[in-house]
Amino acid sequence: FSESGVPQLVQPMIWDYAADLDVEGKVHLVEKYRRCGFSKVWFASAFKGATGVNQSLTLIGHHLKNHLQWLKVASSSPADILEGIALTGWQRYDHFSVLCELLPVAIPSLAVCLQALKNGGYSEKIKENVEKLLGMSNLETETVMR
């Protein structure tokens, strides 16, 4: 495959929005891409819009867990292979569906996910930092924000 020249032209993106993402499976997938000649891969997560076609409020805990799993994949993969992570925010499931999880209700999830990625994890201190940045008194990650 590497003789085709494709690995020099593209960088694959591995997509998974699950809170219980299979870390070991993704690490093996990264290794397969490397063996095929790809020097870089991307990961794709979601901070909103990936938990149900009619979801109106963002399940922050779901998306946080997904990002924490991606961090495990990154730390278990060769350091030089990860090019980046795309935080997607789906607005609808297809062109015939209604809109789901509008951006304003998902901003706390985006902030939590970005801070988790930036800091390599999530803690009470990071939660307090997000609350301060957003001007919120109590950021809930395990229940739907009210």
Side-chain angles (χ1 to χ4, degrees), residues 80-99:
D80 62 338
I81 197 163
L82 180 60
E83 185 70 11
I85 183 167
L87 279 77
T88 66
W90 295 100
Q91 196 66 63
R92 65 176 85 210
Y93 276 60
D94 61 55
H95 293 292
F96 303 106
S97 297
V98 297
L99 297 177

Side-chain angles (χ1 to χ4, degrees), residues 104-115:
V105 299
I107 288 176
S109 180
L110 176 60
V112 164
C113 294
L114 286 170
Q115 285 296 309

Side-chain angles (χ1 to χ4, degrees), residues 58-70:
T58 305
L59 304 173
I60 298 173
H62 173 93
H63 299 292
L64 173 59
K65 288 173 189 166
N66 175 253
H67 285 89
L68 295 176
Q69 292 295 92
W70 275 120

